[in-house]
Amino acid sequence: MSRNIFQIKPARRPARFIALTGLAAGTSALVLAGGLLNSSPAYAAEAKVGLGTVASYSVLGGASVTNTGATTLQGNLGVSPGTSITGFPPGIIGGVKHAADAPALQAQTDLTTAYNDAAGRAMTANVGSTLGGKTLVSGVYTASSSAGLTGTLTLDAQGDPTAVFIFQIGSTLTTASSSSVSMINGAQPCNVFWQIGSSATLGTNSNFVGTILAHTSISVTTGVTVHGRALARIGSVTLDTDVFTTPACLRTTPTGTSTATPTTTATNTNGGPGPGTGTGTGTGTGTSTDVGGGPGGSTTPRNAGHGTTTNAAAIVAATSTTGPGATVNGRPNGVPLTTRLASTGLSPLFVPSLVVGPLLLLGGGLLLIFGRRRTAKLH
């Protein structure tokens, strides 16, 4: 009997190939999910430097504070352990003057803590000795020795109002006359900190931004505007016809629905009914102001009607009861799962990868078993 050389053998490779492909795809999907689970944002946000009670001060000296001319301070003025404060008046203090008292001593203690905090931050980049003409994003910038600012230094928050900028200057900081620090894309003066190893000098008619934490002394020359603070640990602070504004952080609270009873006053010039009161329901967005570097202060919703909201309950009701800002049973309401995952640094692909992976593994395994059984029967 002759053997049929054209006998067709069962095709086993396609089924096995499909099974192995399914197993490989499933494994890849699970590896992808594992990688996404363990992934983290490329850059962690830099935390603010905690100021404690010294946040309420525009100027704080260690040995003395001396002023010439009509300097204006929005916040407190203090000195400790020294006792000498001169030049107020003619200088104007918007807050309270503390000379070698308990609040000034506590402020110096908090200044030391803040100084050490800023000095201990991990460096993002070495900024060198020249700051003028540079544009910097959030981070910690170090100058190993002295640093100078001529022209404009630009701080770019890249749309993040919580972006923090910390400068570590090994020795002295000197700004030239008419120099400036510019804030763009949501950057805020409350998030800028200058840790100075020795002393700082701000040039005439310059525009400076941030809180100076100087180990020794600070000299603010004539006509300087400081959107921040001048805080010296052991030396003196000298001023000359300058303006200090307290750097308050503004944050937007969640949009929600608030119910209030506003009081309205109407003036009728046509002889009709006189002033009266009315009630209304308003919906609006509040903002919080943070002066001390901690949680925000008060919130004030806008009233959608024509009255002025005077009911204090409206402030409490500014917290959302509906919409993305609300919570239901302790969980965010109206926020998609992928959005919440993104806030933790996970990719939205994590969920589908976690589902598809096991399914592909199961299908591939079944195909492989089926193929082997069929091969056994044929033999």
Side-chain angles (χ1 to χ4, degrees), residues 177-257:
S177 298
S178 302
S179 61
S180 64
V181 178
S182 174
M183 313 289 285
I184 63 173
N185 295 326
Q188 300 194 74
C190 62
N191 293 327
V192 182
F193 303 90
W194 301 81
Q195 179 261 319
I196 313 297
S198 179
S199 301
T201 301
L202 305 184
T204 59
N205 300 316
S206 58
N207 192 325
F208 191 79
V209 172
T211 296
I212 301 175
L213 311 168
H215 180 267
T216 308
S217 61
I218 302 171
S219 175
V220 186
T221 60
T222 308
V224 178
T225 299
V226 179
H227 304 280
R229 307 172 180 88
L231 311 175
R233 295 179 60 192
I234 64 174
S236 300
V237 178
T238 58
L239 311 168
D240 185 357
T241 319
D242 307 304
V243 176
F244 281 75
T245 60
T246 301
C249 280
L250 300 178
R251 297 191 181 102
T252 302
T253 59
T255 301
T257 301

Side-chain angles (χ1 to χ4, degrees), residues 94-221:
V96 179
K97 182 169 69 173
H98 296 285
D101 57 7
L105 177 60
Q106 182 61 52
Q108 275 291 353
T109 299
D110 293 341
L111 171 56
T112 299
T113 301
Y115 180 93
N116 292 333
D117 178 11
R121 298 296 180 94
M123 179 182 70
T124 300
N126 191 321
V127 76
S129 60
T130 303
L131 298 173
K134 289 183 169 66
T135 297
L136 303 176
V137 298
S138 176
V140 180
Y141 298 96
T142 299
S144 57
S145 184
S146 298
L149 170 57
T150 300
T152 300
L153 167 65
T154 302
L155 304 181
D156 184 358
Q158 298 181 310
D160 180 8
T162 66
V164 173
F165 304 82
I166 299 175
F167 294 88
Q168 300 167 331
I169 312 298
S171 181
T172 60
L173 170 68
T174 303
T175 69
S177 298
S178 302
S179 61
S180 64
V181 178
S182 174
M183 313 289 285
I184 63 173
N185 295 326
Q188 300 194 74
C190 62
N191 293 327
V192 182
F193 303 90
W194 301 81
Q195 179 261 319
I196 313 297
S198 179
S199 301
T201 301
L202 305 184
T204 59
N205 300 316
S206 58
N207 192 325
F208 191 79
V209 172
T211 296
I212 301 175
L213 311 168
H215 180 267
T216 308
S217 61
I218 302 171
S219 175
V220 186
T221 60

Side-chain angles (χ1 to χ4, degrees), residues 258-276:
S258 61
T259 302
T261 304
T263 300
T264 61
T265 303
T267 302
N268 192 338
T269 59
N270 297 321

Side-chain angles (χ1 to χ4, degrees), residues 56-69:
S56 64
Y57 286 75
S58 290
V59 173
L60 178 67
S64 65
V65 175
T66 303
N67 172 62
T68 301

Side-chain angles (χ1 to χ4, degrees), residues 296-376:
S298 62
T299 57
T300 306
R302 293 182 178 179
N303 179 26
H306 297 288
T308 300
T309 302
T310 57
N311 189 345
I315 296 177
V316 178
T319 302
S320 297
T321 56
T322 60
T327 57
V328 177
N329 296 328
R331 298 181 178 179
N333 181 33
V335 180
L337 176 59
T338 54
T339 301
R340 297 200 295 272
L341 285 173
S343 67
T344 64
L346 296 178
S347 168
L349 295 176
F350 169 68
V351 174
S353 298
L354 200 59
V355 174
V356 173
L359 291 178
L360 289 175
L361 281 175
L362 178 61
L366 290 176
L367 284 173
L368 190 59
I369 293 171
F370 174 76
R372 288 182 175 178
R373 287 185 177 181
R374 183 180 177 186
T375 301

